[in-house]
Amino acid sequence: SSGINAEWPLRPGGQSYTPYFTYDSTVWYYKESYKTSGDIGFGTTEFTTRNAAMYKCARNPICNSVHYTSKKYNMRTGTAVTDEEADNAWVYGTSTVDFTTVYLPISTGLWNPRPGYKLKTVIGTTTYTTLPKATAACMLNSACLGVHYVTKDKKYYIASTGTPVKTTGYIAYPRKWACDGSCTATLKSKVVTIDMKYCFKVSTIEVSNNQACCSKNTGKVVIKVGTKTCATVTMHGKTSALKVPCASGAVGEKITMTYANSGDIDIDNIILATEGSDAC
């Protein structure tokens, strides 16, 4: 933009000044009539409010700015600004956000970003230029428990250890599984609850039940993921196993199965097909 912008006043002596403010424990530098660029490449990155975009950006090490354009706020990887009269940008400064409970959905998995941490045991010598490429490789390797980024060489590595170790110059991304890899069910009255501990989209649920289920009642079982009904199924007579495809949008941290009769419940095994999500 030409001339002096009201948001970019000049200090005495002609020195420029960029306005900034703090939101959600993070400093942001405001750039009116400018834009930033760079796609994040995973997860939800477009929002209808500035604060929602800033909240997510501050918790994603890939994100360095928020760009407002066409009535939407977009997370961006870049910090460089270019003129765009109708747009605005906010560039990430410093932050004290706690990452211990932050989780990002990437390559169908779920990952806990930990700036200032590394994972000890690297698998092989292959390196990756983007986080989605590294996490995809990790998902295909049964020994892989996480990914870390080396800021000096700007490369990602997959690792066979998932416990972050505090080390400057790294960003660790240990992988998280539903129920930390071992799901158990709790029973209260007629409701069975599975706490997945993290946010997942559930595509199918497979349940094995030892009882001669539902022979004396309607046999209906209502399965929910979060508040969304995954499916309502009927188990008649001696039915002991079922595999249920979940309705679209079945996302949550907990699964509940409400039986018609508590005497029908004797669950032997539960198998979940899940993808990491940021929609909880």
Side-chain angles (χ1 to χ4, degrees), residues 195-236:
D195 186 356
M196 296 187 289
K197 296 187 178 181
Y198 314 106
C199 185
F200 284 94
K201 175 185 177 183
V202 180
S203 55
T204 62
I205 299 174
E206 188 171 351
V207 180
S208 297
N209 196 343
N210 287 329
Q211 283 295 96
C213 179
C214 317
S215 57
K216 296 180 180 179
N217 56 63
T218 62
K220 285 188 176 180
V221 182
V222 180
I223 303 174
K224 290 187 175 184
V225 179
T227 60
K228 174 80 172 183
T229 298
C230 160
T232 300
V233 298
T234 301
M235 297 177 70
H236 285 298

Side-chain angles (χ1 to χ4, degrees), residues 16-238:
S16 64
Y17 167 71
T18 301
Y20 67 92
F21 60 93
T22 299
Y23 171 73
D24 184 37
S25 305
T26 305
V27 175
W28 297 93
Y29 292 92
Y30 179 50
K31 311 284 188 176
E32 185 180 13
S33 299
Y34 284 82
K35 68 177 182 179
T36 53
S37 60
D39 292 334
I40 299 297
F42 57 86
T44 304
T45 61
E46 185 180 82
F47 302 89
T48 57
T49 69
R50 185 198 69 182
N51 287 356
M54 285 182 172
Y55 180 89
K56 289 292 188 179
C57 184
R59 288 160 177 78
N60 186 333
I62 303 299
C63 186
N64 291 304
S65 60
V66 170
H67 169 215
Y68 176 76
T69 184
S70 302
K71 299 182 180 180
K72 298 287 186 178
Y73 296 85
N74 300 273
M75 294 165 55
R76 303 293 193 205
T77 61
T79 58
V81 296
T82 54
D83 290 344
E84 191 65 45
E85 191 63 36
D87 292 6
N88 293 311
W90 296 264
V91 177
Y92 178 94
T94 57
S95 181
T96 57
V97 164
D98 179 10
F99 277 85
T100 57
T101 57
V102 174
Y103 307 101
L104 301 177
I106 316 167
S107 306
T108 73
L110 196 67
W111 314 80
N112 172 214
R114 300 297 302 276
Y117 287 80
K118 67 179 289 187
L119 301 178
K120 272 191 173 181
T121 309
V122 169
I123 299 173
T125 58
T126 303
T127 62
Y128 305 89
T129 56
T130 70
L131 182 55
K133 288 180 180 179
T135 51
C138 184
M139 297 282 289
L140 294 173
N141 189 320
S142 60
C144 184
L145 298 180
V147 168
H148 75 203
Y149 177 72
V150 182
T151 57
K152 185 177 180 180
D153 63 13
K154 298 182 179 180
K155 293 179 180 178
Y156 294 89
Y157 301 77
I158 65 174
S160 61
T161 52
T163 302
V165 178
K166 193 172 181 63
T167 312
T168 302
Y170 291 81
I171 304 173
Y173 295 87
R175 186 181 172 189
K176 296 296 181 181
W177 283 262
C179 318
D180 285 327
S182 180
C183 291
T184 57
T186 59
L187 173 63
K188 185 176 181 180
S189 186
K190 300 177 184 180
V191 181
V192 173
T193 301
I194 303 166
D195 186 356
M196 296 187 289
K197 296 187 178 181
Y198 314 106
C199 185
F200 284 94
K201 175 185 177 183
V202 180
S203 55
T204 62
I205 299 174
E206 188 171 351
V207 180
S208 297
N209 196 343
N210 287 329
Q211 283 295 96
C213 179
C214 317
S215 57
K216 296 180 180 179
N217 56 63
T218 62
K220 285 188 176 180
V221 182
V222 180
I223 303 174
K224 290 187 175 184
V225 179
T227 60
K228 174 80 172 183
T229 298
C230 160
T232 300
V233 298
T234 301
M235 297 177 70
H236 285 298
K238 295 183 178 181

